[in-house]
Amino acid sequence: MKTLVTILATLICPVICIAQSNYREGYVIQINGDTVKGYINVKEWDTNPQSISFKKSQADREETKYTPLTIKSFAAGDYAYLAYIGRVSNNKNVFPDMDNYRDTTTSTDTVFLHELISGSKVSLYDKFKDNKRSFFFKEANQAPVELVYYNYYEDGTTIRTLPVYISQVFELQKKYGEGSVRLADFDRLNYRRDDLVRVFEKMNGDGKRVHKSTGGHQFFVGLGGVVSQNRFVGDNQFTAAGTVNSFSPRIHAGVDIFNNVVTKKLILRAEVSFSYNKPTFSGIDPLYTGAKNRQFYQFEQYNASLTPQALFSFYSDEAVRLFASAGIGLNFSFYKNNRFYADNNTASYLVVPYKLESYWANFPLQAGAVIAKRYEVAFTYVPRAAYTNYVLFGISSRVLGVNLRYHL
């Protein structure tokens, strides 16, 4: 336990001191049109950023703050944003937080619009702020225009919609579509990112750059080694045997799901793995039995695990990403050679072996690093968990491990 705590402290403490910066190579376009290359602190940005931090090199300690008032646009990694200062609709349109009437008022907003399509003819952007999703289009050097969508309650219960955006997109396709967009496309044109991206892709033809989503998934495979520290607890003659270690290789595979392909700050991981555990316990002979030989108990446990877990990346840059994780291990075990025996492999006075559970759970913790976006090394600690269901005693194991994974 002390060893793992030391490992976790070694990994995490320096990371916290780095203040969770995630600088990525990118550029800003200034008000005068000049492009300045450097590094931008990329964050989750579930809502559109109001400002960004920029520095010209990774080594710079000082950073410059930019807002939509001070630059035209910026880009970093898979992100691209356009500065916008203009009118936006006030109506709330995300169910169930909607207005009780059709609010047609507007107000001035200052925000960076997230680029979905940079098109040769017309570009598409989105904005999510105050629990409201909005989309904008931009023609050539003109200012962005909001695609208007009203979604509201009438009489407090009935939901009404007014999809003004459909007529706006229809006019754009007449101007730029050149027949590529069909009327059937408008039958299923909802006010959603994927639907609008599909139509705007057709309007632009090949002259486009698409950022459909900043999320995604990545598969991995791996190989590692684990040490299972087994012991009896409670009222049992094998308690005196103490901790019995068993080493096993471990193979595993799985998938990571994330909502930000750049920082991968929060990741949901599903992993399957296989390992085994082969302890042998030496027990003290109870005096009342009259048996002269020392008694032994052994078994072979073959364990397949399904482990959903959550990973949190404390720090990431172009070269390395450091993370910690916690999850639940759902273990499916089968057993062989579950038996008692005495010295010199003679018969034991204990005959019926203990019942070992086929389905049991534990709670793995992990800390590690991903290098060059492909190679992962991680240290695993699994607190002690029992795989028996007796009242007076139990058999449990604690696991220490090292895992190497390759992200495909």
Side-chain angles (χ1 to χ4, degrees):
M1 179 66 177
K2 291 182 179 179
T3 302
L4 187 78
V5 170
T6 302
I7 292 171
L8 291 173
T10 302
L11 285 173
I12 295 174
C13 288
V15 171
I16 294 175
C17 296
I18 298 175
Q20 300 183 19
S21 60
N22 299 286
Y23 278 91
R24 292 293 189 274
E25 188 174 358
Y27 61 86
V28 299
I29 298 180
Q30 297 181 322
I31 296 297
N32 61 6
D34 291 344
T35 299
V36 181
K37 294 183 179 180
Y39 294 85
I40 295 171
N41 190 8
V42 176
K43 300 183 179 181
E44 291 299 285
W45 291 333
D46 294 328
T47 60
N48 298 61
Q50 299 297 311
S51 65
I52 61 167
S53 298
F54 174 88
K55 56 186 182 180
K56 289 188 177 181
S57 72
Q58 289 274 35
D60 287 349
R61 293 188 176 182
E62 294 185 2
E63 58 185 25
T64 303
K65 293 285 186 182
Y66 287 117
T67 71
L69 295 172
T70 56
I71 59 174
K72 286 185 174 182
S73 62
F74 73 88
D78 285 350
Y79 282 107
Y81 281 84
L82 175 71
Y84 176 69
I85 305 169
R87 308 298 292 183
V88 297
S89 60
N90 292 324
N91 65 298
K92 298 178 180 179
N93 59 14
V94 177
F95 180 84
D97 184 21
M98 302 185 301
D99 296 311
N100 291 319
Y101 61 97
R102 188 170 68 194
D103 183 359
T104 60
T105 63
T106 62
S107 59
T108 300
D109 197 5
T110 302
V111 68
F112 285 112
L113 299 178
H114 178 214
E115 181 181 274
L116 300 177
I117 290 183
S118 176
S120 59
K121 300 173 183 177
V122 59
S123 299
L124 179 67
Y125 302 85
D126 77 344
K127 179 176 78 76
F128 186 76
K129 185 178 179 181
D130 299 328
N131 197 33
K132 177 188 174 178
R133 175 75 65 187
S134 301
F135 294 94
F136 293 76
F137 68 90
K138 182 178 181 299
E139 302 176 77
N141 295 322
Q142 299 181 34
V145 176
E146 183 178 4
L147 292 168
V148 180
Y149 175 57
Y150 297 106
N151 196 24
Y152 58 96
Y153 294 109
E154 186 176 78
D155 301 327
T157 55
T158 305
I159 297 177
R160 298 295 186 188
T161 62
L162 182 59
V164 179
Y165 69 94
I166 291 181
S167 61
Q168 292 175 285
V169 175
F170 187 77
E171 291 300 318
L172 288 172
Q173 79 86 19
K174 286 200 301 183
K175 186 175 181 180
Y176 298 112
E178 297 177 356
S180 61
V181 180
R182 300 171 302 173
L183 290 177
D185 291 320
F186 293 91
D187 293 336
R188 54 183 185 274
L189 182 58
N190 297 305
Y191 200 70
R192 292 198 304 237
R193 175 183 298 180
D194 289 346
D195 288 3
L196 291 168
V197 164
R198 170 174 46 81
V199 173
F200 275 72
E201 278 186 290
K202 288 186 177 182
M203 277 193 284
N204 283 286
D206 295 332
K208 62 184 182 301
R209 180 180 62 183
V210 182
H211 302 286
K212 289 186 180 180
S213 174
T214 55
H217 66 275
Q218 190 172 28
F219 293 97
F220 62 84
V221 293
L223 179 66
V226 296
V227 176
S228 299
Q229 299 181 327
N230 304 274
R231 75 178 183 191
F232 276 77
V233 293
D235 185 12
N236 189 280
Q237 73 175 76
F238 293 105
T239 301
T243 299
V244 176
N245 294 328
S246 174
F247 171 79
S248 168
R250 180 174 182 262
I251 58 174
H252 42 93
V255 60
D256 288 341
I257 301 172
F258 40 83
N259 67 344
N260 187 310
V261 71
V262 179
T263 64
K264 295 183 179 177
K265 188 173 183 179
L266 179 62
I267 297 175
L268 299 180
R269 170 174 289 183
E271 183 176 45
V272 292
S273 62
F274 180 82
S275 61
Y276 58 80
N277 179 24
K278 298 181 179 181
T280 299
F281 299 90
S282 174
I284 297 175
D285 177 25
L287 295 177
Y288 64 83
T289 64
K292 297 180 180 179
N293 293 333
R294 190 170 41 154
Q295 305 295 305
F296 296 91
Y297 174 58
Q298 71 172 193
F299 60 86
E300 298 176 14
Q301 179 190 63
Y302 296 90
N303 195 39
S305 298
L306 172 62
T307 309
Q309 53 199 294
L311 282 73
F312 183 79
S313 298
F314 291 98
Y315 171 79
S316 67
D317 60 21
E318 297 287 353
V320 65
R321 174 169 56 86
L322 303 182
F323 69 89
S325 72
I328 179 171
L330 306 175
N331 302 291
F332 308 91
S333 301
F334 66 93
Y335 300 89
K336 292 178 59 178
N337 297 322
N338 184 12
R339 68 189 185 102
F340 298 104
Y341 65 94
D343 279 330
N344 302 318
N345 206 29
T346 58
S348 170
Y349 64 85
L350 298 168
V351 179
V352 180
Y354 300 124
K355 183 180 185 305
L356 307 176
E357 297 297 319
S358 298
Y359 307 102
W360 54 288
N362 53 18
F363 301 91
L365 305 173
Q366 194 172 211
V370 178
I371 302 168
K373 301 180 181 179
R374 294 287 184 183
Y375 307 96
E376 176 184 324
V377 56
F379 300 93
T380 301
Y381 171 72
V382 185
R384 192 165 295 283
Y387 42 87
T388 58
N389 196 28
Y390 293 101
V391 176
L392 298 179
F393 72 93
I395 313 174
S396 63
S397 66
R398 178 176 63 191
V399 179
L400 303 176
V402 177
N403 299 298
L404 302 175
R405 298 180 177 92
Y406 177 75
H407 293 257
L408 303 174

